[in-house]
Amino acid sequence: MDLTHLKAHELIKGYENRDFTCTEVTQAYLDVIKAKEQDINAYITVTDNLALSRAQYVDSMYENREEQGLLAGVPLAIKDNVAVKDVKMTAASKILENFIAPYNSTLTEKVNEAGAIILGKANMDEFAMGATTRSSYFGATKNPLDPKLIPGGSSGGSAAAVSGFEACLAVGTDTGGSTRQPAGFNGIVGFKPTYGSVSRFGIASMANTFDTVGSFGRDVEDAHLLMQVMAGRDMKDATSIDNPSLTKPIDFENGAYLKDIKVAVPKVYLNMELDSVVKSAFDSTIALLKDAGATVDVVDLENLEYTIQVYHILVNSEIASNMSRFDSLRYGHRTQRPYSSYEEMFKFSRSEGFGDEVKKRIMVGTHILSLDAKSNYYQKALQVRTLIKKGFDDVFKNYDLILSPSAPILPIPLDSTMSDVEIYQSDLFTIPANMAGCPSISVPYTGGSFPVGMLLTADRLRDDMCFKAASEMERRLK
């Protein structure tokens, strides 16, 4: 039996039956990491000693028949913009290359309390800015399904770790699709909850009004298991909320959740130019839903055509503000060049520490927030975001879910020279859920020549609707 090919819920049953120990499973994962990392580069830091120590502790709890948490003995990876005490937290940037987190994030505390085994910190686009995991200071991550391709981003390392059997579960963050787009590219499940469902305390912010914490698993049940552990109100994060829909019981083996549900397909998506493999999977998924008893209607969802423009105006504005804390005085890399003023020190340190994508977004965001441009761009973008959110609200008055592909394209080659605008388009279907704060899940459609993510989005605080529909879709796609 290859222990790394078992899903999290299968591992837990195995531990309970004493089929194997947590130490054996953890060592098996560390062996795979050692064998594959030179090719895949899913991790920035591997915490092997910490993982084995934790595994032995969990084994002793099983032997003593002590009460266990939901993730007892499950090895997982955590994106490197999340704080794990006494472990490097680089956000894939040179400017934080040697930063050691002095405390745990709230979600780290929760997965530790649940008994999870942290295998390491996963690679990502620098400060989560990107859709390819090529902008990491520590080198690009490759797609385990085909190492010539990108794994998506910005949580590409987390997705690759799960897809490549280098972790059983993984934590990602999702600002515009960074769990769901890479999940689709890697043939696994990626979920983003209702905004605020998971505390962001201890996580390097990219764009505060968009950022959420999401989960990766090899099936829907695993992704749901991790979300149950991470979710909850946190007094350290004023934007966090209680979301009871994440803990509602779900029958993953027999639940008939597609019958009589109403699914909306935005008309604008049907008129878009999609990759032929993606288009075929999209059409087949619509047919699958109808066969299962769901009603699928084409609907008008106004202003979706402005998604990419509005997203980048608002997100880059928030990025410019968030990145200002990395000034080499309080945080971050300090230049070794001689300087004659604080201003010169900031300038040298930040130009050396930040990569090109981060610098570009800081400059764009700073320009947008300048006095003249603010009313022309930022304030108008806020108004259009409200209109997009209203469009979602109107659709959810009559429908349970919105369906689309997770991305309009398949993963591109690592050495592709696609323009930034073309790459930004890969988040076209995922961004609206971040704008509206809605839960959304990517489920792999495996009937074609390459896995394609299918995206289901529900109304706020209806996260259970995503998991229920996705679980039956997953069973029918097998």
Side-chain angles (χ1 to χ4, degrees):
M1 180 192 302
D2 189 337
L3 297 175
T4 63
H5 282 60
L6 295 175
K7 300 181 178 78
H9 53 93
E10 294 169 337
L11 277 179
I12 292 167
K13 288 178 183 173
Y15 292 141
E16 291 170 351
N17 295 332
R18 305 294 192 269
D19 294 334
F20 38 74
T21 68
C22 179
T23 302
E24 289 172 336
V25 172
T26 302
Q27 187 61 59
Y29 271 105
L30 292 173
D31 290 343
V32 173
I33 291 170
K34 187 176 181 181
K36 288 189 174 181
E37 265 306 89
Q38 191 169 358
D39 295 326
I40 303 300
N41 198 28
Y43 286 92
I44 292 175
T45 303
V46 178
T47 54
D48 43 3
N49 291 333
L50 175 65
L52 285 171
S53 172
R54 285 279 299 170
Q56 290 163 5
Y57 174 70
V58 173
D59 278 336
S60 70
M61 293 183 71
Y62 272 112
E63 288 169 10
N64 297 328
R65 299 187 181 281
E66 296 179 48
E67 187 175 350
Q68 299 280 11
L70 278 179
L71 295 177
V74 178
L76 57 77
I78 292 184
K79 191 173 178 178
D80 203 25
N81 58 350
V82 180
V84 177
K85 190 175 186 298
D86 299 331
V87 177
K88 272 189 180 182
M89 175 184 170
T90 70
S93 178
K94 179 180 178 180
I95 209 160
L96 288 178
E97 183 177 7
N98 298 310
F99 177 70
I100 306 291
Y103 56 83
N104 278 326
S105 69
T106 297
L107 82 83
T108 305
E109 294 283 0
K110 283 175 174 274
V111 297
N112 278 336
E113 289 170 8
I117 310 298
I118 298 173
L119 294 169
K121 307 295 292 296
N123 203 3
M124 55 185 283
D125 281 306
E126 185 178 4
F127 282 106
M129 299 176 201
T132 64
T133 311
R134 295 192 296 191
S135 70
S136 169
Y137 174 67
F138 300 92
T141 296
K142 298 176 183 176
N143 190 323
L145 300 178
D146 182 345
K148 296 187 185 69
L149 305 177
I150 62 163
S154 65
S155 307
S158 296
V162 174
S163 176
F165 303 102
E166 295 186 58
C168 188
L169 298 173
V171 176
T173 57
D174 192 317
T175 304
S178 296
T179 57
R180 295 158 289 150
Q181 182 253 34
F185 282 179
N186 286 271
I188 60 173
V189 175
F191 177 73
K192 164 216 167 310
T194 298
Y195 178 79
S197 298
V198 179
S199 169
R200 292 182 290 115
F201 175 78
I203 299 173
S205 296
M206 176 180 164
N208 304 49
T209 67
F210 290 79
D211 291 343
T212 53
V213 178
S215 63
F216 291 98
R218 292 196 204 115
D219 66 5
V220 176
E221 185 172 355
D222 274 10
H224 181 252
L225 185 66
L226 179 54
M227 284 310 307
Q228 288 184 83
V229 170
M230 295 193 296
R233 178 86 170 91
D234 178 17
M235 297 305 289
K236 297 174 184 172
D237 178 1
T239 65
S240 66
I241 58 170
D242 280 323
N243 182 355
S245 73
L246 281 168
T247 52
K248 288 185 178 178
I250 297 174
D251 182 352
F252 289 100
E253 294 184 1
N254 302 303
Y257 296 123
L258 296 179
K259 185 174 172 52
D260 298 330
I261 67 167
K262 299 184 72 174
V263 180
V265 176
K267 187 177 181 180
V268 66
Y269 290 167
L270 293 176
N271 299 326
M272 286 181 176
E273 189 174 334
L274 304 176
D275 179 280
S276 60
V277 176
V278 176
K279 180 72 168 62
S280 174
F282 190 26
D283 292 342
S284 297
T285 303
I286 292 173
L288 179 153
L289 291 171
K290 289 179 177 176
D291 287 346
T295 299
V296 182
D297 292 333
V298 177
V299 301
D300 284 320
L301 219 168
E302 295 180 359
N303 300 302
L304 272 187
E305 62 268 35
Y306 306 120
T307 293
I308 296 292
Q309 298 91 324
V310 169
Y311 173 79
H312 283 281
I313 289 171
L314 296 178
V315 164
N316 288 335
S317 300
E318 294 188 31
I319 285 171
S321 174
N322 277 323
M323 291 298 107
S324 64
R325 76 191 64 178
F326 301 106
D327 57 8
S328 79
L329 194 62
R330 292 169 294 179
Y331 299 102
H333 164 81
R334 175 78 61 86
T335 184
Q336 297 301 307
R337 294 171 60 183
Y339 49 82
S340 56
S341 65
Y342 283 124
E343 276 192 1
E344 206 167 64
M345 181 187 75
F346 297 153
K347 178 181 173 182
F348 291 160
S349 299
R350 286 163 64 86
S351 65
E352 292 170 8
F354 286 133
D356 290 343
E357 183 68 25
V358 177
K359 289 175 187 171
K360 181 172 62 184
R361 296 196 186 206
I362 290 172
M363 287 191 289
V364 170
T366 303
H367 172 69
I368 290 169
L369 291 177
S370 64
L371 192 60
D372 292 338
K374 184 179 174 184
S375 57
N376 288 334
Y377 295 101
Y378 184 71
Q379 291 176 354
K380 286 183 180 175
L382 281 175
Q383 292 169 347
V384 178
R385 179 183 185 175
T386 300
L387 292 174
I388 291 174
K389 175 180 171 295
K390 183 178 181 303
F392 271 68
D393 291 343
D394 290 342
V395 168
F396 287 130
K397 287 176 183 173
N398 299 306
Y399 293 90
D400 301 299
L401 291 164
I402 295 172
L403 172 71
S404 74
S406 300
I409 58 173
L410 294 176
I412 60 174
L414 273 168
D415 57 359
S416 166
T417 55
M418 287 177 74
S419 70
D420 289 345
V421 173
E422 288 174 312
I423 291 173
Y424 294 160
Q425 292 284 332
S426 68
D427 287 340
L428 181 67
F429 298 128
T430 52
I431 288 172
N434 297 78
M435 286 190 174
C438 294
S440 186
I441 190 167
S442 177
V443 187
Y445 179 88
T446 54
S449 57
F450 197 90
V452 176
M454 286 294 119
L455 196 69
L456 294 169
T457 301
D459 199 0
R460 289 176 293 282
L461 301 176
R462 292 304 315 274
D463 303 55
D464 58 320
M465 179 61 73
C466 282
F467 281 117
K468 287 176 177 176
S471 69
E472 188 175 350
M473 264 182 60
E474 183 180 62
R475 289 202 311 273
R476 288 177 174 271
L477 286 169
K478 285 181 180 173

